[in-house]
Amino acid sequence: MEAKKDVKVDIIIPTYKPTERLIDLILLLERQTLPVHKIILMNTEEKYFNTLFFGKSFVKERPHLQVCHLSKMEFNHGKTRADGVKLSDAPYFICMTDDALPKDETLVEKLL
């Protein structure tokens, strides 16, 4: 898939009460054979997000990570994902959940 290395793809992930597994997911997405342009987190309830990342520079160190906070009242399975897609300027996107970890570094490449 050498020809696809220049393809721009974003990942949209809704989160609610994220755990360390989200950090593992982001780290795995950063190691993909087809690089991810942007990871867009559509996070419900900012306080839970802040609990996970309090005192950590993890988010600040990742300019390709975009976090959009919304309230529980604003969350809707379809609309929240669609809003995440609207934040993307990539021609391709992949919607994931925060509890599904890629088996290896070829997930994005294989899906495209």
Side-chain angles (χ1 to χ4, degrees):
M1 292 232 166
E2 282 302 314
K4 289 192 175 184
K5 292 289 183 194
D6 60 343
V7 172
K8 190 173 166 183
V9 60
D10 288 345
I11 307 286
I12 292 99
I13 306 169
T15 63
Y16 176 62
K17 295 185 179 179
T19 66
E20 293 285 332
R21 193 168 175 100
L22 176 62
I23 294 171
D24 294 340
L25 172 57
I26 293 167
L27 293 173
L28 285 165
L29 290 173
E30 290 175 342
R31 295 196 316 256
Q32 292 295 297
T33 54
L34 198 157
V36 173
H37 173 254
K38 187 168 30 170
I39 300 170
I40 301 168
L41 302 178
M42 300 299 291
N43 181 69
T44 303
E45 297 299 327
E46 187 173 2
K47 64 185 174 185
Y48 300 118
F49 190 87
N50 291 341
T51 298
L52 175 62
F53 292 103
F54 181 77
K56 298 178 186 175
S57 58
F58 186 85
V59 175
K60 290 181 201 170
E61 293 170 351
R62 290 168 167 76
H64 60 281
L65 189 60
Q66 181 176 351
V67 182
C68 178
H69 295 290
L70 52 145
S71 71
K72 236 178 165 178
M73 295 293 290
E74 294 171 300
F75 178 80
N76 171 289
H77 287 282
K79 183 179 181 314
T80 296
R81 286 167 174 81
D83 289 346
V85 171
K86 288 177 188 174
L87 295 173
S88 170
D89 62 354
Y92 302 99
F93 65 89
I94 298 170
C95 288
M96 296 184 68
T97 59
D98 65 346
D99 62 346
L101 297 178
K103 179 179 100 172
D104 59 29
E105 293 83 18
T106 63
L107 173 78
V108 173
E109 186 174 335
K110 287 178 180 175
L111 285 174
L112 287 185

